[in-house]
Amino acid sequence: MSRKTGHKESLSVCLKRACFLLLGTTIYVTSLGAQSAGEYSISWIGQYPPGENGEKTSFGERMSALVFGQKPQEVIKPFGIVAASPQEFLVLDQGAGTVFECVDGKGEVLKSMRKADREFPSLVGICQIPGGDLLLTDSRMNQVFRISDGGLSRLSDSFSFSQPTGIAYSSRTGEVWVVETVAHRVVVLNRQGELIKTIGERGSEPGTFNFPTFIWIDQQGQVYIVDSMNFRVQAFDHQGNFLFSFGEIGDATGTMARPKGIATDSRGNIYVADALFHVVQIFDREGNYLYNFGGQGQEAGEFWMPAGICIDEQDFIYVADSYNARIQVFQLVKN
């Protein structure tokens, strides 16, 4: 695969059984990149919700319960995550049109969302900004919303979004980056929702997009954008200058079919969830393929059309396993 260029110690975690099913499963990964096959492994930590008696319901059954007015189970179609730790994280649920707050294994609809006087037909992106406020995108409403203790408001009353999907906050610049999928660009705003600049247009050249979707900004301010229909990821610096891209369409390891969520770990490796492959692929900081984990299924460590992905400061990996209606949690460990 070509790369296009533009210019702890392992943690020991004791989680409450109410929160996770601790099965001690380890998924060993093989390396096709610079690292040896046995250097790292991905440990399955658990899932939310844990389920009861191993029972599983199909995506259709969960949607039917929602349509016909029955109270849905914990989550319907999780799509995004904001995580502080395995004991405390937020789940954006596209199927239920809300956000769940999960603390010590107990999930409840976020208080501010319970008070919202509107429905959200297509939530896609979620991020948190300093002060604790959440920003949500709804691609059908063409809006970015701010969720706070005071309730719900629009991020901007002066800017009209065009199918906003991915959203991320840059701690380096204090800016909010929003992906506009049908406009084939990214808009950069300040925390008050005022437009600073736009990046990209439709195309396949470096710095252009073809239906981009998800986005991640690391602690250094480097930006990673999933350029979905170009079947690649593009990296930019904190000012929006193109750095490099990686990926191409295909059905082999390292290629992409339906790339969605993206995140980076503490070593700078890049994780991309591919919904059609039902795996998470891992690339190094320069976009070279390393290994993957997952596979289609409903067992621990398997996925059914994964979407969003989040990695916290301790390298716990959270995957929105959308059609299995759960969040799976993993940890990167050195053998």
Side-chain angles (χ1 to χ4, degrees), residues 8-10 38-42 267 331-335:
K8 290 169 177 182
E9 177 179 309
S10 178
E39 187 175 357
Y40 287 94
S41 61
I42 301 293
R267 298 174 300 139
Q331 186 185 15
L332 180 70
V333 294
K334 190 168 184 177
N335 294 331

Side-chain angles (χ1 to χ4, degrees), residues 16-306:
K16 297 183 179 180
R17 288 187 179 272
C19 182
F20 295 108
L21 298 178
L22 298 182
L23 301 185
T25 301
T26 298
I27 304 163
Y28 290 97
V29 294
T30 58
S31 174
L32 300 181
Q35 300 179 358
S36 63
E39 187 175 357
Y40 287 94
S41 61
I42 301 293
S43 289
W44 185 87
I45 300 300
Q47 67 180 47
Y48 173 82
E52 296 181 4
N53 301 322
E55 295 179 358
K56 298 182 178 69
T57 57
S58 70
F59 176 74
E61 289 171 333
R62 295 190 300 273
M63 287 303 298
S64 295
L66 184 66
V67 169
F68 292 109
Q70 301 175 25
K71 183 179 179 180
Q73 295 183 342
E74 299 287 351
V75 290
I76 299 294
K77 186 182 177 184
F79 219 73
I81 312 113
V82 169
S85 73
Q87 293 91 353
E88 185 177 356
F89 55 92
L90 298 166
V91 179
L92 181 146
D93 188 346
Q94 189 178 80
T98 192
V99 176
F100 285 92
E101 184 176 30
C102 304
V103 179
D104 290 336
K106 297 179 180 179
E108 294 183 353
V109 172
L110 193 66
K111 183 178 179 181
S112 297
M113 294 295 285
R114 294 199 298 267
K115 297 189 295 184
D117 60 353
R118 68 190 74 198
E119 294 183 353
F120 299 91
S122 185
L123 293 173
V124 178
I126 182 172
C127 74
Q128 194 163 35
I129 62 177
D133 287 1
L134 293 174
L135 301 180
L136 312 176
T137 64
D138 191 294
S139 63
R140 292 187 192 174
M141 297 181 73
N142 292 315
Q143 286 292 340
V144 176
F145 294 97
R146 183 194 301 266
I147 305 292
S148 65
D149 289 338
L152 178 147
S153 61
R154 295 182 179 184
L155 175 63
S156 177
D157 290 322
S158 60
F159 184 80
S160 298
F161 295 96
S162 182
Q163 195 175 335
T165 50
I167 187 168
Y169 175 77
S170 173
S171 58
R172 176 168 180 172
T173 64
E175 297 169 338
V176 178
W177 291 52
V178 182
V179 177
E180 291 188 301
T181 296
V182 297
H184 312 284
R185 68 179 186 178
V186 178
V187 295
V188 182
L189 309 101
N190 62 24
R191 289 170 57 180
Q192 290 70 46
E194 299 167 333
L195 180 66
I196 297 174
K197 60 188 171 187
T198 64
I199 298 171
E201 60 183 2
R202 191 169 194 180
S204 58
E205 296 302 310
T208 65
F209 303 103
N210 191 17
F211 295 100
T213 51
F214 287 76
I215 184 172
W216 177 269
I217 302 178
D218 67 20
Q219 292 299 312
Q220 288 71 46
Q222 191 156 305
V223 182
Y224 302 88
I225 299 169
V226 176
D227 189 8
S228 296
M229 295 310 294
N230 279 326
F231 304 95
R232 66 185 180 186
V233 171
Q234 296 198 67
F236 298 80
D237 68 15
H238 67 280
Q239 295 179 323
N241 299 307
F242 174 80
L243 297 176
F244 64 90
S245 70
F246 62 92
E248 59 185 346
I249 188 172
D251 57 5
T253 53
T255 62
M256 300 181 183
R258 193 176 298 174
K260 288 196 172 183
I262 186 166
T264 59
D265 65 21
S266 62
R267 298 174 300 139
N269 288 338
I270 307 162
Y271 296 61
V272 181
D274 197 299
L276 199 58
F277 290 157
H278 311 284
V279 299
V280 174
Q281 300 198 79
I282 306 176
F283 302 82
D284 69 18
R285 62 177 67 242
E286 296 182 336
N288 300 303
Y289 174 75
L290 296 175
Y291 40 77
N292 67 69
F293 64 94
Q296 186 172 8
Q298 295 181 300
E299 300 304 318
E302 297 176 336
F303 304 116
W304 186 9
M305 297 192 72

